[in-house]
Amino acid sequence: MQTMEPPFTKQLRSLPASIPFVGPETIEREENIRFQARLGANESAFGISPNAEQAIKDGATATYYGDPTNFNLRTELAGVHGVSINQILVGGGIDGLFSLIAQAFIEPGTPVTTSRGSYPTFNYFTTLCGAALGLVPYRDFCPDLNALAKEAQRSKSRFVYLANPDNPTGIFQIRNRLENFISKLPEDCLLILDEAYIDFSPPPEILPVGKEGPRVIRMRTFSKAHGMAGMRIGYLIADQEVVAGLNKIRNQFQVSRLAQIAALASLKDSAFIDSVVAAVAAGREDYHAIGEELGIKTLPSASNFVAFDLGSPKRVSAVLEALKRKGIFVRTGPPPNNRLLRVTIGAPRERTLFAAVFKEILASEHLGASK
Amino acid sequence: MQTMEPPFTKQLRSLPASIPFVGPETIEREENIRFQARLGANESAFGISPNAEQAIKDGATATYYGDPTNFNLRTELAGVHGVSINQILVGGGIDGLFSLIAQAFIEPGTPVTTSRGSYPTFNYFTTLCGAALGLVPYRDFCPDLNALAKEAQRSKSRFVYLANPDNPTGIFQIRNRLENFISKLPEDCLLILDEAYIDFSPPPEILPVGKEGPRVIRMRTFSKAHGMAGMRIGYLIADQEVVAGLNKIRNQFQVSRLAQIAALASLKDSAFIDSVVAAVAAGREDYHAIGEELGIKTLPSASNFVAFDLGSPKRVSAVLEALKRKGIFVRTGPPPNNRLLRVTIGAPRERTLFAAVFKEILASEHLGASK
């Protein structure tokens, strides 16, 4: 087949070919490795609710399209959060929702503000639509809320993006700080509040749903505490005018039938989620203890991962490579947060394996020297 | 929560709120109906491969993200079709692929050519990106290939969209006609060839993969013959430059892990697909026989549905409403193909039910009169 120059848009041609995430399957294939512990993508080590599993096992449901309105799930979510069903939009995970939001709000040159070094997928989808990204430095591994608000004011941003808890640091902004931050944003600027990990955060300090005001879009997912990363389902809670606009352009069949059914079943199994949250909290303590034992700073985390500060990107690269050779899949953050080793809270077996290998690697002289 | 005017793009504000598809779940809920036969969305009445079902039942896999490169599935598909793995892109069903293609190729004002009355979702996603749609009339319920090529030439279209077999008519264009059509398209115009239903078409008359030339993007799905509409997985076969460009902007995690695994298992179970195709062929004969018995024209179909020509949209509306009241979910096409009643090939039980109710409805004087 001869090749041609396809008639892509100018915008697409200007984008680099990029691989935002190299998955463990690719590494296994290309480097002939078998991972023993999958601690790089903050998936859940604690599975899914038995109720959800039962729902999935009803395989016949794979045959029919899911309800394009996601009615049952939205009804349940509206009840859980005490909002109107018209404030909820279900999509293909938070990444799918980013894509939708970018298409709805971003034109070439639209100013957007985010933190340099935070979760990159928001940037990926907004850049694709031509956003002009204003990137604000972290302060002490924490998204700098004052600087974000100031930059949003300066650039007249349409969006500010904030992950809370942050990724890759795990840092959590308590309610008061968030409220103060929101009050400082420009009147017509939306806050995209990515709460993928919020189920692992202390409930009394979470900004209550309904108190965030009409300029905030809260993003939630079933990929983390609910253990359904592989099913692609998330949702947003927003002002109903925002939801109505997004509904104009939503891919109505994006969310699979199995995912809708499994998410609904999981949502009704709060005892399971509580058990996962408790198990993750115990795992965080394990990781902090490992850091303390090794003299490596760990960042406080309100998520299902812990970031170890190895001091330099070079050291992180060497440790990542050594972990990979020992069958452990772990990742770091985007620059300048690539001096962090971000490790998912694994199951006890995985944590024990990680601890042993991590200690062994750090004890090796070569890596000790590059510290 | 107070409402606000969200800062949507001009493009989005110009779009109407639309509901491209009212699902049977919505009708059941709003009209307090329980459907006994689901014959409106061309899902498969014949389930999924037992191999795929086994793969789905391994529920633990829901917990991990799927391979973002879809490597195993693409490898198998490349083998099946005799193309390079770099010519295959897997996405969230054909609708998900439309969205991707629209974002890659369409800017406000980009000319696009399609048939008025064909599958509407292509139009939905391209319009969202600002495409100027050139709509060509059908000729005898058949996409008019000469007129499509002529309009593409006139408007200097970037795309022509053709569903083959067509939806909602079921009409199939044989290889020679397609080759002739492709040769008449402008040099720099891509043909989006939507082959969702191609598994039901006569193999010797299908344009062989690899013979379509570099300007054709072929869209395939696991939603129909493979019975996986609810899992959201499809793929395209295209020139590798096209695939490389689309990969720049693809939502890497769009396709669920379960869908990847199930699709791969199904692809290896060609005996199952053959049995589905045979069962559908038998069902088509049933429907044609019903039409003959009732004196209602049926269109030739190479798909898993049959279109009954009821002569007028008014009569279709009345029949649809009556079918609905009897618990049968069926749909029509977009205007002017809304004089067609498009009925999915159901399982024998559903076909028997449909036949009985359809005959009863047509026998009623009121409807007979409006014929």
Side-chain angles (χ1 to χ4, degrees), chain B residues 9-280:
Chain B
T9 63
K10 220 182 296 177
Q11 175 61 29
L12 185 137
R13 284 197 300 269
S14 74
L15 295 172
S18 70
I19 299 174
F21 176 79
V22 178
E25 296 87 355
T26 299
I27 298 169
E28 286 184 330
R29 180 166 45 80
E30 292 183 350
E31 307 196 25
N32 201 22
I33 283 169
R34 291 299 302 172
F35 285 121
Q36 307 302 315
R38 185 166 162 141
L39 303 176
N42 302 335
E43 297 141 326
S44 179
F46 308 97
I48 61 175
S49 155
N51 295 3
E53 201 159 345
Q54 194 53 48
I56 291 174
K57 280 180 179 163
D58 178 10
T61 55
T63 295
Y64 292 129
Y65 289 110
D67 169 15
T69 69
N70 303 286
F71 183 82
N72 293 339
L73 181 58
R74 281 165 58 234
T75 300
E76 183 73 17
L77 287 167
V80 166
H81 293 299
V83 297
S84 153
I85 186 174
N86 297 324
Q87 290 180 257
I88 304 227
L89 186 141
V90 176
I94 288 179
D95 285 5
L97 294 168
F98 283 159
S99 172
L100 183 68
I101 281 182
Q103 280 198 280
F105 292 104
I106 307 285
E107 291 160 306
T110 298
V112 165
T113 300
T114 182
S115 301
R116 184 190 302 278
S118 188
Y119 185 64
T121 310
F122 176 81
N123 306 6
Y124 176 82
F125 286 111
T126 53
T127 303
L128 157 61
C129 292
L133 286 179
L135 295 168
V136 171
Y138 276 65
R139 174 188 286 261
D140 299 331
F141 294 111
C142 186
D144 187 337
L145 300 187
N146 286 333
L148 284 166
K150 205 172 282 181
E151 170 61 16
Q153 293 278 5
R154 189 201 63 74
S155 67
K156 298 187 168 51
S157 278
R158 191 161 294 174
F159 283 143
V160 174
Y161 171 76
L162 178 71
N164 189 46
D166 185 52
N167 181 0
T169 68
I171 300 269
F172 174 64
Q173 312 274 358
I174 63 172
R175 174 181 178 171
N176 286 351
R177 285 178 58 86
L178 270 189
E179 285 173 339
N180 183 39
F181 172 56
I182 292 166
S183 74
K184 287 183 181 157
L185 292 177
E187 273 298 320
D188 55 355
C189 174
L190 293 172
L191 172 61
I192 309 296
L193 192 56
D194 176 350
E195 300 185 317
Y197 298 98
I198 201 78
D199 292 316
F200 304 109
S201 306
E205 291 297 352
I206 297 171
L207 178 68
V209 173
K211 298 292 185 198
E212 67 282 308
R215 297 201 309 278
V216 181
I217 300 180
R218 302 180 81 144
M219 318 284 272
R220 302 281 177 104
T221 184
F222 288 92
S223 293
K224 306 302 175 185
H226 292 267
M228 295 182 188
M231 303 201 76
R232 313 313 307 128
I233 181 161
Y235 60 100
L236 59 79
I237 311 169
D239 184 89
Q240 60 185 12
E241 296 298 315
V242 170
V243 171
L246 296 174
N247 261 322
K248 281 185 178 182
I249 63 168
R250 181 174 64 90
N251 179 345
Q252 58 183 350
F253 284 119
Q254 184 178 34
V255 179
S256 82
R257 187 176 186 86
L258 291 176
Q260 288 185 42
I261 291 169
L264 184 60
S266 186
L267 209 55
K268 291 178 174 176
D269 191 358
S270 59
F272 173 78
I273 302 303
D274 290 348
S275 74
V276 171
V277 168
V280 165

Side-chain angles (χ1 to χ4, degrees), chain A residues 2 15 44 232 248 253, chain B residues 2 15 63 232 239 248 253:
Chain A
Q2 69 183 106
L15 295 172
S44 179
R232 315 312 307 131
K248 281 185 178 183
F253 284 121
Chain B
Q2 69 183 104
L15 295 172
T63 295
R232 313 313 307 128
D239 184 89
K248 281 185 178 182
F253 284 119

